[in-house]
Amino acid sequence: AIATDATNLAITFSVTDTDAGGSSVAVYTSDRAAMMEIVNAILSAGFDPETVEPDILCLARFFQHCFVTPGTTRPLFVVFGEKTCYILSFTDAGNARVRSFVLSASATKTQTLSREIPLTIAAMNTGTAFTGIFVAGSTEGLESSELAERIGMGRAPVTDAVSPYSVPVGKSS
């Protein structure tokens, strides 16, 4: 764990799941001074900063409302930006579980997802397995069969989903 003085941070959260045991939350932090620069820029442009939300929550809402999951697929969504990657899933109650990270210039997308997908799934602690991984955005540098093999999903044929790359989850052969 990295220790830091919380008074130097801007902190917010969103509830990702609620059950009899309590609530799970996604916590967002940023350097307070850097965040104040952004908030002041938003204000000077005439926008209300309280109406702006993290882009990953907008993506989650898009997938939740616009993507029809084939059959009984329990999807994990991966969205590549130019320099970032977002991984999203939804609880049975429809709450988004999200993660974002910066892409390394020295690693391929296959290498990055081979490392990040298992970490993300473990952190999401869903209790149920994902049965499909759908990738959107630029897929240059992503080898779906190699990715499936690296993360123990067996052979992964390329099919149409969000992009030409969809890694169906199956048992290792």
Side-chain angles (χ1 to χ4, degrees):
I2 299 173
T4 189
D5 183 355
T7 59
N8 295 326
L9 297 176
I11 303 171
T12 190
F13 68 94
S14 62
V15 177
T16 59
D17 199 12
T18 303
D19 60 22
S23 296
S24 296
V25 296
V27 178
Y28 306 93
T29 63
S30 176
D31 176 74
R32 182 180 294 277
M35 185 56 66
M36 287 307 300
E37 284 182 40
I38 294 168
V39 169
N40 288 331
I42 291 170
L43 283 168
S44 68
F47 293 100
D48 177 359
E50 290 190 31
T51 63
V52 178
E53 67 181 344
D55 54 356
I56 194 158
L57 296 180
C58 296
L59 284 170
R61 190 169 23 268
F62 169 80
F63 281 113
Q64 193 170 32
H65 294 288
C66 299
F67 185 81
V68 177
T69 307
T72 59
T73 304
R74 181 166 172 78
L76 185 68
F77 297 100
V78 176
V79 181
F80 284 110
E82 187 176 325
K83 296 179 181 178
T84 57
C85 183
Y86 305 97
I87 300 178
L88 310 93
S89 72
F90 299 93
T91 65
D92 291 335
N95 296 314
R97 291 182 179 223
V98 298
R99 178 159 183 252
S100 64
F101 51 91
V102 176
L103 294 171
S104 167
S106 64
T108 68
K109 290 180 178 170
T110 303
Q111 292 167 330
T112 299
L113 290 183
S114 296
R115 179 186 66 247
E116 299 298 337
I117 286 177
L119 290 173
T120 302
I121 290 172
M124 287 180 175
N125 194 25
T126 63
T128 56
F130 293 100
T131 58
I133 298 173
F134 299 96
V135 179
S138 171
T139 55
E140 184 179 334
L142 178 64
E143 299 296 330
S144 61
S145 294
E146 183 181 341
L147 173 63
E149 185 176 311
R150 284 182 172 204
I151 60 178
M153 293 184 177
R155 187 159 159 48
V158 175
T159 60
D160 289 328
V162 176
S163 77
Y165 291 90
S166 172
V167 183
V169 178
K171 293 186 178 183
S172 297
S173 345

Short mmCIF file of all heavy atoms in Angstrom, two decimals, residues 94-137:
data_model
loop_
_atom_site.label_atom_id
_atom_site.label_comp_id
_atom_site.label_asym_id
_atom_site.label_seq_id
_atom_site.Cartn_x
_atom_site.Cartn_y
_atom_site.Cartn_z
N GLY A 94 -27.26 -4.75 -11.91
CA GLY A 94 -27.01 -3.73 -12.92
C GLY A 94 -26.01 -2.67 -12.52
O GLY A 94 -25.80 -1.71 -13.25
N ASN A 95 -25.35 -2.82 -11.37
CA ASN A 95 -24.35 -1.85 -10.94
C ASN A 95 -23.04 -2.10 -11.68
O ASN A 95 -22.61 -3.25 -11.82
CB ASN A 95 -24.11 -1.93 -9.44
CG ASN A 95 -25.35 -1.57 -8.65
OD1 ASN A 95 -26.00 -0.59 -8.94
ND2 ASN A 95 -25.67 -2.39 -7.66
N ALA A 96 -22.41 -1.02 -12.14
CA ALA A 96 -21.15 -1.13 -12.88
C ALA A 96 -19.97 -1.35 -11.94
O ALA A 96 -19.88 -0.74 -10.89
CB ALA A 96 -20.93 0.13 -13.70
N ARG A 97 -19.09 -2.23 -12.36
CA ARG A 97 -17.79 -2.41 -11.71
C ARG A 97 -16.79 -2.02 -12.77
O ARG A 97 -16.83 -2.55 -13.88
CB ARG A 97 -17.58 -3.84 -11.26
CG ARG A 97 -18.51 -4.21 -10.13
CD ARG A 97 -18.25 -5.61 -9.67
NE ARG A 97 -19.16 -5.89 -8.58
CZ ARG A 97 -18.80 -6.52 -7.48
NH1 ARG A 97 -17.57 -6.95 -7.33
NH2 ARG A 97 -19.67 -6.74 -6.52
N VAL A 98 -15.91 -1.09 -12.45
CA VAL A 98 -15.06 -0.50 -13.47
C VAL A 98 -13.61 -0.41 -13.02
O VAL A 98 -13.31 -0.36 -11.83
CB VAL A 98 -15.56 0.91 -13.84
CG1 VAL A 98 -16.96 0.86 -14.43
CG2 VAL A 98 -15.56 1.84 -12.63
N ARG A 99 -12.73 -0.39 -14.01
CA ARG A 99 -11.30 -0.19 -13.75
C ARG A 99 -10.70 0.49 -14.96
O ARG A 99 -11.08 0.20 -16.10
CB ARG A 99 -10.62 -1.53 -13.53
CG ARG A 99 -9.14 -1.38 -13.30
CD ARG A 99 -8.55 -2.58 -12.59
NE ARG A 99 -7.14 -2.32 -12.36
CZ ARG A 99 -6.17 -2.92 -13.02
NH1 ARG A 99 -6.43 -3.85 -13.91
NH2 ARG A 99 -4.92 -2.62 -12.77
N SER A 100 -9.79 1.41 -14.73
CA SER A 100 -9.08 2.04 -15.85
C SER A 100 -7.61 2.09 -15.51
O SER A 100 -7.22 2.11 -14.35
CB SER A 100 -9.62 3.45 -16.10
OG SER A 100 -9.39 4.28 -15.00
N PHE A 101 -6.79 2.09 -16.55
CA PHE A 101 -5.34 2.19 -16.36
C PHE A 101 -4.70 2.73 -17.63
O PHE A 101 -5.29 2.68 -18.71
CB PHE A 101 -4.73 0.84 -15.96
CG PHE A 101 -5.12 -0.31 -16.85
CD1 PHE A 101 -4.35 -0.64 -17.96
CD2 PHE A 101 -6.26 -1.05 -16.58
CE1 PHE A 101 -4.72 -1.69 -18.79
CE2 PHE A 101 -6.63 -2.10 -17.40
CZ PHE A 101 -5.85 -2.43 -18.51
N VAL A 102 -3.51 3.24 -17.49
CA VAL A 102 -2.75 3.79 -18.61
C VAL A 102 -2.04 2.64 -19.31
O VAL A 102 -1.50 1.75 -18.66
CB VAL A 102 -1.74 4.85 -18.12
CG1 VAL A 102 -0.88 5.36 -19.26
CG2 VAL A 102 -2.46 5.98 -17.42
N LEU A 103 -2.05 2.67 -20.65
CA LEU A 103 -1.36 1.64 -21.42
C LEU A 103 0.13 1.93 -21.46
O LEU A 103 0.55 3.08 -21.59
CB LEU A 103 -1.91 1.60 -22.85
CG LEU A 103 -3.35 1.14 -22.99
CD1 LEU A 103 -3.83 1.35 -24.43
CD2 LEU A 103 -3.49 -0.31 -22.59
N SER A 104 0.92 0.89 -21.36
CA SER A 104 2.37 1.01 -21.44
C SER A 104 2.79 1.06 -22.90
O SER A 104 2.32 0.28 -23.73
CB SER A 104 3.03 -0.20 -20.77
OG SER A 104 4.40 -0.26 -21.09
N ALA A 105 3.69 1.97 -23.22
CA ALA A 105 4.19 2.08 -24.59
C ALA A 105 5.08 0.89 -24.95
O ALA A 105 5.26 0.58 -26.12
CB ALA A 105 4.96 3.39 -24.76
N SER A 106 5.61 0.20 -23.94
CA SER A 106 6.55 -0.89 -24.20
C SER A 106 5.89 -2.27 -24.23
O SER A 106 6.56 -3.27 -24.49
CB SER A 106 7.66 -0.88 -23.15
OG SER A 106 7.12 -1.12 -21.87
N ALA A 107 4.59 -2.37 -23.96
CA ALA A 107 3.91 -3.67 -23.94
C ALA A 107 2.82 -3.71 -25.01
O ALA A 107 2.18 -2.70 -25.30
CB ALA A 107 3.29 -3.92 -22.57
N THR A 108 2.61 -4.89 -25.59
CA THR A 108 1.50 -5.05 -26.54
C THR A 108 0.19 -5.11 -25.77
O THR A 108 0.18 -5.30 -24.55
CB THR A 108 1.65 -6.34 -27.37
OG1 THR A 108 1.48 -7.46 -26.49
CG2 THR A 108 3.00 -6.42 -28.08
N LYS A 109 -0.90 -4.97 -26.48
CA LYS A 109 -2.21 -5.07 -25.82
C LYS A 109 -2.43 -6.47 -25.29
O LYS A 109 -3.05 -6.66 -24.24
CB LYS A 109 -3.30 -4.63 -26.78
CG LYS A 109 -3.24 -3.14 -27.02
CD LYS A 109 -4.30 -2.66 -27.97
CE LYS A 109 -4.17 -1.15 -28.11
NZ LYS A 109 -4.97 -0.60 -29.17
N THR A 110 -1.90 -7.47 -25.97
CA THR A 110 -2.02 -8.85 -25.49
C THR A 110 -1.28 -9.00 -24.16
O THR A 110 -1.81 -9.57 -23.21
CB THR A 110 -1.45 -9.84 -26.53
OG1 THR A 110 -2.14 -9.66 -27.76
CG2 THR A 110 -1.59 -11.28 -26.06
N GLN A 111 -0.06 -8.48 -24.08
CA GLN A 111 0.70 -8.55 -22.83
C GLN A 111 -0.01 -7.80 -21.71
O GLN A 111 -0.10 -8.29 -20.58
CB GLN A 111 2.10 -7.96 -23.04
CG GLN A 111 2.98 -8.78 -23.95
CD GLN A 111 4.23 -8.02 -24.38
OE1 GLN A 111 4.23 -6.79 -24.48
NE2 GLN A 111 5.30 -8.76 -24.65
N THR A 112 -0.53 -6.62 -22.03
CA THR A 112 -1.21 -5.81 -21.02
C THR A 112 -2.44 -6.53 -20.49
O THR A 112 -2.64 -6.64 -19.28
CB THR A 112 -1.59 -4.44 -21.61
OG1 THR A 112 -0.40 -3.77 -22.01
CG2 THR A 112 -2.34 -3.60 -20.58
N LEU A 113 -3.30 -7.01 -21.38
CA LEU A 113 -4.53 -7.69 -20.93
C LEU A 113 -4.22 -9.02 -20.24
O LEU A 113 -4.95 -9.42 -19.33
CB LEU A 113 -5.49 -7.91 -22.09
CG LEU A 113 -6.15 -6.64 -22.63
CD1 LEU A 113 -7.15 -7.00 -23.73
CD2 LEU A 113 -6.83 -5.85 -21.53
N SER A 114 -3.15 -9.68 -20.64
CA SER A 114 -2.75 -10.93 -19.97
C SER A 114 -2.46 -10.68 -18.51
O SER A 114 -2.70 -11.54 -17.66
CB SER A 114 -1.51 -11.53 -20.64
OG SER A 114 -1.78 -11.89 -21.97
N ARG A 115 -1.94 -9.51 -18.20
CA ARG A 115 -1.64 -9.13 -16.82
C ARG A 115 -2.87 -8.52 -16.13
O ARG A 115 -3.19 -8.87 -15.00
CB ARG A 115 -0.49 -8.13 -16.81
CG ARG A 115 -0.10 -7.63 -15.43
CD ARG A 115 0.97 -6.53 -15.48
NE ARG A 115 0.45 -5.32 -16.11
CZ ARG A 115 0.86 -4.84 -17.29
NH1 ARG A 115 1.83 -5.44 -17.95
NH2 ARG A 115 0.34 -3.75 -17.80
N GLU A 116 -3.58 -7.63 -16.81
CA GLU A 116 -4.63 -6.84 -16.18
C GLU A 116 -5.97 -7.55 -16.02
O GLU A 116 -6.68 -7.29 -15.05
CB GLU A 116 -4.83 -5.52 -16.93
CG GLU A 116 -3.60 -4.62 -16.97
CD GLU A 116 -3.13 -4.15 -15.62
OE1 GLU A 116 -3.93 -4.11 -14.66
OE2 GLU A 116 -1.93 -3.80 -15.49
N ILE A 117 -6.35 -8.42 -16.94
CA ILE A 117 -7.66 -9.09 -16.81
C ILE A 117 -7.72 -9.96 -15.56
O ILE A 117 -8.67 -9.83 -14.78
CB ILE A 117 -8.03 -9.87 -18.09
CG1 ILE A 117 -8.44 -8.88 -19.18
CG2 ILE A 117 -9.15 -10.87 -17.82
CD1 ILE A 117 -8.76 -9.52 -20.52
N PRO A 118 -6.75 -10.83 -15.30
CA PRO A 118 -6.84 -11.63 -14.06
C PRO A 118 -6.84 -10.76 -12.79
O PRO A 118 -7.58 -11.04 -11.84
CB PRO A 118 -5.60 -12.52 -14.11
CG PRO A 118 -5.27 -12.62 -15.56
CD PRO A 118 -5.63 -11.28 -16.14
N LEU A 119 -6.04 -9.69 -12.78
CA LEU A 119 -6.03 -8.79 -11.62
C LEU A 119 -7.38 -8.11 -11.44
O LEU A 119 -7.88 -7.99 -10.33
CB LEU A 119 -4.94 -7.73 -11.79
CG LEU A 119 -3.50 -8.20 -11.71
CD1 LEU A 119 -2.55 -7.07 -12.07
CD2 LEU A 119 -3.19 -8.74 -10.33
N THR A 120 -7.97 -7.69 -12.54
CA THR A 120 -9.26 -6.99 -12.49
C THR A 120 -10.36 -7.93 -12.02
O THR A 120 -11.17 -7.57 -11.17
CB THR A 120 -9.60 -6.40 -13.86
OG1 THR A 120 -8.55 -5.50 -14.24
CG2 THR A 120 -10.93 -5.67 -13.84
N ILE A 121 -10.39 -9.14 -12.57
CA ILE A 121 -11.41 -10.11 -12.18
C ILE A 121 -11.29 -10.43 -10.68
O ILE A 121 -12.29 -10.47 -9.97
CB ILE A 121 -11.32 -11.39 -13.04
CG1 ILE A 121 -11.77 -11.07 -14.47
CG2 ILE A 121 -12.15 -12.52 -12.44
CD1 ILE A 121 -11.55 -12.20 -15.47
N ALA A 122 -10.06 -10.60 -10.21
CA ALA A 122 -9.86 -10.88 -8.78
C ALA A 122 -10.33 -9.70 -7.93
O ALA A 122 -10.99 -9.88 -6.90
CB ALA A 122 -8.39 -11.18 -8.51
N ALA A 123 -10.04 -8.48 -8.36
CA ALA A 123 -10.43 -7.29 -7.60
C ALA A 123 -11.94 -7.09 -7.61
O ALA A 123 -12.51 -6.58 -6.65
CB ALA A 123 -9.74 -6.05 -8.16
N MET A 124 -12.61 -7.50 -8.70
CA MET A 124 -14.06 -7.33 -8.79
C MET A 124 -14.80 -8.27 -7.86
O MET A 124 -15.93 -8.01 -7.47
CB MET A 124 -14.53 -7.51 -10.24
CG MET A 124 -14.16 -6.36 -11.12
SD MET A 124 -14.74 -6.61 -12.80
CE MET A 124 -14.30 -5.04 -13.54
N ASN A 125 -14.16 -9.41 -7.52
CA ASN A 125 -14.72 -10.33 -6.53
C ASN A 125 -16.21 -10.61 -6.76
O ASN A 125 -17.03 -10.47 -5.87
CB ASN A 125 -14.49 -9.76 -5.12
CG ASN A 125 -14.72 -10.78 -4.05
OD1 ASN A 125 -14.60 -11.99 -4.28
ND2 ASN A 125 -15.08 -10.32 -2.86
N THR A 126 -16.55 -11.00 -7.99
CA THR A 126 -17.95 -11.17 -8.36
C THR A 126 -18.56 -12.47 -7.87
O THR A 126 -19.78 -12.56 -7.74
CB THR A 126 -18.13 -11.10 -9.89
OG1 THR A 126 -17.40 -12.19 -10.46
CG2 THR A 126 -17.65 -9.79 -10.43
N GLY A 127 -17.76 -13.50 -7.67
CA GLY A 127 -18.31 -14.78 -7.23
C GLY A 127 -18.85 -15.62 -8.37
O GLY A 127 -19.17 -16.78 -8.19
N THR A 128 -18.99 -15.03 -9.56
CA THR A 128 -19.43 -15.79 -10.73
C THR A 128 -18.45 -15.54 -11.87
O THR A 128 -17.85 -14.48 -11.96
CB THR A 128 -20.85 -15.37 -11.19
OG1 THR A 128 -20.86 -13.96 -11.43
CG2 THR A 128 -21.89 -15.71 -10.14
N ALA A 129 -18.31 -16.54 -12.72
CA ALA A 129 -17.35 -16.46 -13.81
C ALA A 129 -17.88 -15.64 -14.98
O ALA A 129 -19.08 -15.63 -15.25
CB ALA A 129 -17.01 -17.87 -14.29
N PHE A 130 -16.97 -14.97 -15.64
CA PHE A 130 -17.33 -14.29 -16.89
C PHE A 130 -17.31 -15.31 -18.00
O PHE A 130 -16.48 -16.21 -18.02
CB PHE A 130 -16.34 -13.16 -17.18
CG PHE A 130 -16.44 -12.04 -16.19
CD1 PHE A 130 -15.54 -11.94 -15.14
CD2 PHE A 130 -17.46 -11.12 -16.28
CE1 PHE A 130 -15.65 -10.92 -14.21
CE2 PHE A 130 -17.58 -10.10 -15.36
CZ PHE A 130 -16.68 -10.00 -14.32
N THR A 131 -18.23 -15.20 -18.93
CA THR A 131 -18.32 -16.16 -20.02
C THR A 131 -18.03 -15.54 -21.37
O THR A 131 -18.22 -16.17 -22.39
CB THR A 131 -19.72 -16.81 -20.04
OG1 THR A 131 -20.71 -15.78 -20.17
CG2 THR A 131 -19.98 -17.61 -18.77
N GLY A 132 -17.60 -14.31 -21.38
CA GLY A 132 -17.21 -13.65 -22.62
C GLY A 132 -16.46 -12.37 -22.32
O GLY A 132 -16.73 -11.69 -21.34
N ILE A 133 -15.47 -12.09 -23.16
CA ILE A 133 -14.74 -10.84 -23.07
C ILE A 133 -14.91 -10.14 -24.40
O ILE A 133 -14.57 -10.69 -25.44
CB ILE A 133 -13.25 -11.06 -22.74
CG1 ILE A 133 -13.11 -11.74 -21.38
CG2 ILE A 133 -12.49 -9.73 -22.77
CD1 ILE A 133 -11.70 -12.15 -21.04
N PHE A 134 -15.46 -8.93 -24.36
CA PHE A 134 -15.73 -8.18 -25.57
C PHE A 134 -14.81 -6.97 -25.60
O PHE A 134 -14.76 -6.21 -24.63
CB PHE A 134 -17.19 -7.77 -25.63
CG PHE A 134 -18.11 -8.95 -25.64
CD1 PHE A 134 -18.69 -9.42 -24.48
CD2 PHE A 134 -18.36 -9.63 -26.83
CE1 PHE A 134 -19.52 -10.53 -24.49
CE2 PHE A 134 -19.18 -10.75 -26.84
CZ PHE A 134 -19.77 -11.20 -25.67
N VAL A 135 -14.10 -6.82 -26.71
CA VAL A 135 -13.09 -5.77 -26.83
C VAL A 135 -13.55 -4.74 -27.84
O VAL A 135 -13.99 -5.08 -28.93
CB VAL A 135 -11.74 -6.37 -27.27
CG1 VAL A 135 -10.69 -5.29 -27.42
CG2 VAL A 135 -11.28 -7.44 -26.28
N ALA A 136 -13.43 -3.45 -27.47
CA ALA A 136 -13.77 -2.35 -28.36
C ALA A 136 -12.60 -1.39 -28.44
O ALA A 136 -11.75 -1.37 -27.55
CB ALA A 136 -15.02 -1.62 -27.85
N GLY A 137 -12.58 -0.60 -29.47
CA GLY A 137 -11.49 0.36 -29.66
C GLY A 137 -10.45 -0.24 -30.58
O GLY A 137 -10.67 -1.26 -31.23
#
